[in-house]
Amino acid sequence: MYMLNAQEYHPEKIQRAIDMLYVDRKNEFRELSHVLLSPKAISLMPNWKEFVLNFSLDVEDAFKTWSGQTPLSVNSPQKALTLLRQLGHDKTSMNQLAHLLNLSYTLSREFKEIYRRLK
């Protein structure tokens, strides 16, 4: 799902919020992009930050299901497995996977807070 395409988000505010978030979270964006995208894809993809942010928003949405805040949907198991497989590829411990989940969750929460304050 492309979370940024939801009606609640406006393109111009999205870009401003991403730019503001990127100033402070450049390392987190870079770390997640290297896990989710190949180096060639990063160089060819002008909207790689939006891709990373969409992934992070999906992680936060999935966490709401995992923690019981929202009910299970038909796609919940597939979504969870996809997220975990993408982040867990070539990792050797649960700590590494948890670190990436935390990065994703934090980016999502901070983006939403910045976006909210821009209104």
Side-chain angles (χ1 to χ4, degrees):
M1 178 193 303
Y2 294 101
M3 304 292 285
L4 290 175
N5 289 338
Q7 290 182 347
E8 66 186 275
Y9 295 117
H10 302 285
E12 61 280 348
K13 288 184 184 177
I14 290 171
Q15 195 56 53
R16 285 180 49 210
I18 288 173
D19 292 341
M20 292 174 72
L21 180 61
Y22 187 71
V23 168
D24 292 331
R25 297 293 181 189
K26 187 180 301 187
N27 292 332
E28 288 83 348
F29 271 97
R30 187 185 48 199
E31 186 173 350
L32 284 169
S33 70
H34 289 306
V35 171
L36 299 172
L37 301 165
S38 69
K40 184 178 181 181
I42 294 170
S43 65
L44 295 175
M45 194 174 187
N47 60 342
W48 67 270
K49 292 179 210 168
E50 288 86 350
F51 181 86
V52 170
L53 184 58
N54 267 316
F55 182 87
S56 297
L57 291 166
D58 274 340
V59 168
E60 183 188 358
D61 187 55
F63 177 74
K64 290 176 184 175
T65 303
W66 300 340
S67 63
Q69 297 173 34
T70 58
L72 284 171
S73 71
V74 174
N75 298 328
S76 294
Q78 184 66 32
K79 183 176 182 179
L81 183 58
T82 301
L83 293 172
L84 293 173
R85 284 186 57 113
Q86 284 180 296
L87 291 178
H89 185 72
D90 290 336
K91 301 299 172 274
T92 58
S93 73
M94 285 295 293
N95 288 337
Q96 292 173 337
L97 178 59
H99 170 70
L100 294 172
L101 286 168
N102 285 331
L103 284 182
S104 298
Y105 183 80
T106 300
L107 280 180
S108 176
R109 298 295 299 166
E110 289 185 12
F111 167 78
K112 286 181 176 180
E113 183 61 27
I114 290 169
Y115 186 89
R116 184 185 65 78
R117 290 181 182 188
L118 289 176
K119 287 187 177 183

